[in-house]
Amino acid sequence: MGQSRGLFVAFGREVNIPRRAGAAARSFSVATIAAVLVVVTCLCAILAFATASNDARSNAFERQTVLAALSDHAALMKRTVSLIEPDEEVSARVKQNDRAWLHENLGVTLNNHFGYERTFLLDRQQRVVYASSLGKEVDQRQFDALRPALQRMMRDAGNRDAGDAGEPLAGFVATTDFVGLAVVRSFRKTDTVGGGPDVLESVTVDLVDDVFLGELAQRVQLAGFRVYQGPPPNDRENYITLTNLVDGSPMVLAWVPERPGVSALQRIAPLVAVLSLTLLAICLMLLVQSRRTGAALAASEAEAKSLAMEDYLTGLANRGGFVGRLGARIAGLSGNEILAMAYLDLDGFKDINDTLGHGVGDELLCLMASRVRQALGDRGLAARFGGDEFVLYMTCAERSEVETFLTALLTVMQQPVRLEGHELQIGASIGVAFVPEHTMDPGELMRLADIALYRAKADGRGLVRFFVPELEQDIRNRRTVELELAEAIDSGQMALVFQPQVDVESERIVGFEALVRWDHPERGRLPPETFVPIAERSRLICRLDNWVMRRACELGRRLDDVTVSVNMSPISLRQPNIADLILESLAQTGFEPSRLEIEITESAIIQADSEVNAALLRLREAGVRIALDDFGTGHASLVHIRRFPVTKIKIDRSFISNLGTERDAAAIVEYVVRLGRSLGIVLTAEGVETREQLRFLRAFGAQQAQGFLFSGPVSIEAARAMLAAQDSASGRPRPPGSRRNVEA
């Protein structure tokens, strides 16, 4: 028989759910009840443990408090005895055998005023000179019971010299007649020439009676104090163990503990019971409702699994779903099948996303995803890994099928898109690796395809590149260049050359552009195109640009009366402290801000945020000039130019090289020149190599030019020589003290 099934509506559609889902839900509810019972049991155990722990901490605190109170009382007795028994006076009265004075000032005073019931005076042979009990003079033999305690206290104190006065000693004593706290005080050595006994020690005892225990209870806020000799009490009492100094036996001081844990437990026990019953009632309700919720749980789980494998924006597979299915598909390839793994990256998406907003960017991503899905069909699986990065795999019998498909896919991707009134042109770069040609491992396959994508973007974008082993060597070489470049910046291998910028009408030099070169110890002097792109990808460009800025300012001081231009990458421009770094270089080198010109690209203008704009405005206010480099090659518009403090526009060499050969080039250059003049911005033409190009620029009204017609990049010494020759040709004498007349 077929399996019985039920019908459930989930997320707006009907789905068939096996009836065993209800049984699973009921089992889940039973397990939940069992879990709640375990939780309640554990809760009770935790409460019992917490109660015991709390009571244990309370008992420990009570013991510390009682010990501290006894210690304070002993300290008070020590101070009292020391103050009320001056050494010389007591010794003198003993020599005079003035027992009335001794009785009145010692026995009576200590008993009546301080409650110290026993007082004894001993000579150096520890014979009793005076004895008092409860304010009455008594037989000296009453001290015999305390003599072992005195000897123990003196021995524990380290057998100190009987002739030296020391800190009074204190300890508990218990005899057959009384229990008390005894304080022994040593007197200073006195003169015995006059005869009579020489007092050595006084022993004062405060009986541990009901009065003593009552005062102790009031002080520590505890009750039921009692003291006795014998084993510790039962667990209903708290206690401390003291040592009887008479015979070294233990003494127990016990009291009734507060037990805050038990008290708290008694208060919250009804609440815990009510809470436990409530939880059990809820569990029973869950069990009753299990049949109704079983199907919903199963449907939700199925829907969650489906959503976990999809990209939330485009509906394509996400990384997790793609990687899992890729591994399964590779494992299931037949002997004559090949699998192509392709990384696809949209070209120019970031500029569109930044300029038109994320809403337009999301719509564009969804449209591109739809094109990829439709082109791929059921031949494989497409996914979006994030941003504008798409991946796909497809299986086929011949590699030529992959090439044909990807060529068609690029054509589809490059078709114009119209979104929110904007017609957008976007393309894609694709990198491809194959199974089994390159690897059978899914992770390695994706890595190789990513390397191929990197090459496609490096070769100019809008291309398909297939992985070849040489590409890995390129990656390793690039990493080697990164490490060498980092060392080169710090070890003085970088150098600057200067290309002149001239006035179009007079052809006089008005400035120099500082260009960086790498004097490699093995490969010789390297042009910037061999290392600047690597520096930009590895974030070394900030260090490189900062070095170029500082060095250009240092050498620029040797080039009088002309500007010095320094290129700044978009990455360096986004440094939080870029304005501070440039102004610091100017201040430390003494280079005039008005002679420094920073060249930024159109992409830097488009990607700039408010912080970059604020930094450029701050530099412009300090006198630094801002030039827009390679104008016409990007997407910069009049809006962008007016938003930034641009003082110069440099027309890209691609337009200048076509002057006289392509009509559109002349029209574009003429338009840019007129635009710059209307905005009060200086126009500089790059890449001027012929006189005919120079004549066009003069006719259009361009102010400055730069190119091999005038000079290529030269060293600082050659640049100074060019300025000197220019001055000589014009017949202008250099003013005295000019740096150009002083050896640098």
Side-chain angles (χ1 to χ4, degrees):
M1 293 179 62
Q3 182 179 338
S4 176
R5 306 181 67 87
L7 191 64
F8 184 75
V9 178
F11 296 95
R13 65 179 186 272
E14 293 184 346
V15 294
N16 286 321
I17 303 297
R19 295 197 181 278
R20 63 185 178 187
R26 288 191 294 274
S27 298
F28 172 77
S29 298
V30 173
T32 301
I33 294 176
V36 170
L37 290 175
V38 172
V39 169
V40 171
T41 303
C42 292
L43 177 61
C44 293
I46 291 172
L47 288 175
F49 176 77
T51 298
S53 299
N54 194 20
D55 287 346
R57 288 193 295 271
S58 176
N59 288 343
F61 178 75
E62 289 176 1
R63 289 192 291 270
Q64 293 176 358
T65 303
V66 171
L67 286 173
L70 293 177
S71 178
D72 291 345
H73 189 75
L76 177 62
M77 287 184 65
K78 292 177 183 180
R79 292 195 297 272
T80 303
V81 170
S82 298
L83 292 174
I84 205 167
E85 298 177 357
D87 295 4
E88 295 81 359
E89 184 68 18
V90 172
S91 297
R93 296 292 181 174
V94 169
K95 289 178 182 181
Q96 298 169 12
N97 196 24
D98 190 351
R99 306 187 69 82
W101 186 93
L102 293 173
H103 182 63
E104 183 66 27
N105 289 276
L106 297 180
V108 174
T109 300
L110 290 174
N111 179 74
N112 295 347
H113 293 284
F114 300 100
Y116 305 155
E117 291 87 348
R118 301 284 194 275
T119 302
F120 304 94
L121 292 179
L122 292 82
D123 63 11
R124 289 189 173 278
Q125 287 73 38
Q126 292 192 353
R127 293 174 300 195
V128 179
V129 176
Y130 167 77
S132 172
S133 175
L134 299 176
K136 296 180 180 181
E137 189 171 357
V138 297
D139 190 323
Q140 299 174 357
R141 285 175 295 182
Q142 288 197 13
F143 179 72
D144 292 340
L146 295 178
R147 191 174 300 280
L150 175 63
Q151 293 173 350
R152 182 182 296 272
M153 293 173 70
M154 298 302 295
R155 183 172 63 253
D156 292 344
N159 298 317
R160 60 185 179 177
D161 186 358
D164 295 334
E167 176 70 17
L169 306 176
F172 281 89
V173 295
T175 70
T176 56
D177 297 328
F178 63 87
V179 176
L181 177 61
V183 172
V184 178
R185 179 194 173 204
S186 297
F187 288 83
R188 291 195 300 269
K189 183 180 261 187
T190 57
D191 187 11
T192 60
V193 175
D198 183 15
V199 177
L200 174 65
E201 308 285 346
S202 73
V203 180
T204 304
V205 179
D206 188 4
L207 297 181
V208 181
D209 52 11
D210 292 341
V211 175
F212 183 97
L213 296 177
E215 292 176 351
L216 178 61
Q218 184 177 7
R219 179 170 184 177
V220 299
Q221 297 297 305
L222 295 171
F225 277 95
R226 63 191 183 97
V227 62
Y228 58 91
Q229 289 183 294
N234 54 49
D235 57 1
R236 291 190 298 273
E237 287 184 311
N238 197 4
Y239 67 95
I240 59 174
T241 301
L242 307 170
T243 301
N244 181 8
L245 296 177
V246 173
D247 56 8
S249 62
M251 296 171 53
V252 176
L253 177 62
W255 63 91
V256 178
E258 290 189 346
R259 297 191 180 278
V262 173
S263 300
L265 182 59
Q266 291 173 346
R267 290 193 297 270
I268 67 172
L271 178 61
V272 172
V274 171
L275 178 61
S276 300
L277 292 175
T278 303
L279 289 176
L280 290 175
I282 293 174
C283 291
L284 291 175
M285 292 175 61
L286 288 174
L287 185 59
V288 172
Q289 296 294 330
S290 61
R291 291 186 177 182
R292 301 177 184 177
T293 58
L297 290 173
S300 298
E301 181 181 2
E303 188 72 17
K305 287 182 179 179
S306 175
L307 293 175
M309 298 298 178
E310 291 185 2
D311 175 56
Y312 73 96
L313 179 64
T314 63
L316 298 178
N318 59 14
R319 181 183 294 271
F322 181 85
V323 173
R325 294 180 62 179
L326 173 64
R329 190 66 187 89
I330 292 176
L333 285 177
S334 61
N336 59 348
E337 280 186 314
I338 64 172
L339 183 143
M341 162 76 196
Y343 262 99
L344 186 150
D345 193 72
L346 300 182
D347 297 331
F349 173 77
K350 187 178 187 306
D351 291 343
I352 294 174
N353 199 44
D354 291 342
T355 55
L356 300 181
H358 294 288
V360 174
D362 288 347
E363 289 187 45
L364 182 60
L365 288 175
C366 291
L367 180 58
M368 293 297 106
S370 177
R371 290 180 177 181
V372 172
R373 184 189 295 110
Q374 292 177 6
L376 184 61
D378 58 359
R379 288 178 290 185
L381 177 67
R384 173 174 173 256
F385 277 10
D388 59 345
E389 185 180 46
F390 296 88
V391 295
L392 61 89
Y393 72 76
M394 62 177 294
T395 55
C396 54
E398 299 290 340
R399 178 167 173 163
S400 58
E401 295 180 35
V402 178
E403 297 174 356
T404 301
F405 165 73
L406 293 178
T407 301
L409 178 60
L410 276 183
T411 302
V412 171
M413 300 292 285
Q414 292 169 353
Q415 292 177 0
V417 177
R418 188 164 190 83
L419 293 174
E420 296 188 6
H422 302 279
E423 184 167 324
L424 307 177
Q425 185 76 38
I426 196 168
S429 301
I430 302 177
V432 188
F434 290 94
V435 173
E437 178 182 348
H438 297 129
T439 182
M440 293 292 293
D441 180 74
E444 180 68 6
L445 181 69
M446 295 170 65
R447 186 183 73 86
L448 300 181
D450 192 34
I451 292 175
L453 173 64
Y454 177 85
R455 171 51 64 91
K457 290 160 52 172
D459 287 349
R461 301 179 181 272
L463 303 171
V464 178
R465 288 292 180 263
F466 298 96
F467 174 80
V468 291
E470 291 77 9
L471 295 183
E472 279 199 291
Q473 183 61 43
D474 291 345
I475 296 295
R476 287 192 288 269
N477 292 340
R478 179 168 62 87
R479 179 57 181 162
T480 300
V481 172
E482 290 178 6
L483 297 176
E484 291 180 347
L485 180 58
E487 181 181 359
I489 296 174
D490 297 330
S491 60
Q493 297 179 20
M494 311 308 294
L496 289 186
V497 293
F498 298 84
Q499 185 173 24
Q501 298 171 342
V502 304
D503 179 79
V504 169
E505 294 297 333
S506 64
E507 298 187 30
R508 289 183 58 84
I509 298 174
V510 294
F512 287 92
E513 180 179 0
L515 303 169
V516 66
R517 299 291 187 267
W518 182 1
D519 292 328
H520 196 280
E522 297 178 0
R523 291 182 284 167
R525 173 157 288 189
L526 301 178
E529 57 267 20
T530 62
F531 59 87
V532 168
I534 295 176
E536 290 180 336
R537 287 190 292 268
S538 63
R539 312 298 292 184
L540 283 172
I541 192 64
C542 295
R543 289 174 55 190
L544 181 61
D545 280 355
N546 293 340
W547 181 89
V548 171
M549 177 63 66
R550 179 64 174 264
R551 187 60 175 161
C553 292
E554 291 175 352
L555 297 178
R557 296 187 59 193
R558 301 164 65 179
L559 303 172
D560 284 349
D561 305 329
V562 295
T563 61
V564 174
S565 300
V566 178
N567 291 280
M568 184 70 63
S569 76
I571 298 174
S572 297
L573 200 61
R574 289 195 293 270
Q575 295 179 93
N577 59 340
I578 183 62
D580 293 330
L581 292 173
I582 295 175
L583 295 177
E584 182 180 354
S585 295
L586 290 169
Q588 292 180 354
T589 59
F591 191 65
E592 297 91 339
S594 60
R595 295 177 54 209
L596 176 63
E597 189 171 75
I598 299 175
E599 296 189 8
I600 59 178
T601 62
E602 290 187 354
S603 61
I605 287 285
I606 294 174
Q607 299 171 11
D609 51 21
S610 58
E611 287 77 11
V612 173
N613 193 15
L616 293 176
L617 287 173
R618 182 181 171 193
L619 291 172
R620 189 69 194 96
E621 290 171 357
V624 178
R625 308 184 189 196
I626 309 296
L628 183 59
D629 197 14
D630 300 333
F631 185 79
T633 60
H635 300 85
S637 64
L638 180 61
V639 174
H640 293 104
I641 295 174
R642 297 188 63 182
R643 188 161 58 94
F644 288 88
V646 175
T647 58
K648 177 187 287 189
I649 293 177
K650 299 187 73 175
I651 306 173
D652 186 68
R653 65 182 66 248
S654 61
F655 297 104
I656 304 303
S657 62
N658 291 325
L659 285 178
T661 60
E662 293 186 10
R663 182 176 180 181
D664 291 346
I668 292 173
V669 173
E670 183 178 11
Y671 168 77
V672 173
V673 171
R674 290 181 178 179
L675 172 65
R677 283 189 169 276
S678 66
L679 296 175
I681 298 176
V682 175
L683 274 299
T684 299
E686 295 183 292
V688 179
E689 298 181 357
T690 65
R691 285 286 169 182
E692 183 179 7
Q693 293 169 355
L694 182 61
R695 283 194 296 271
F696 271 104
L697 295 174
R698 285 172 175 167
F700 295 152
Q703 295 97 327
Q704 296 178 8
Q706 176 181 347
F708 283 96
L709 176 63
F710 313 106
S711 173
V714 298
S715 65
I716 183 63
E717 292 77 10
R720 296 179 70 246
M722 293 172 68
L723 289 177
Q726 178 175 278
D727 291 340
S728 299
S730 63
R732 288 197 309 168
R734 299 302 301 162
S738 171
R739 283 192 298 272
R740 210 176 296 163
N741 291 331
V742 178
E743 185 65 24

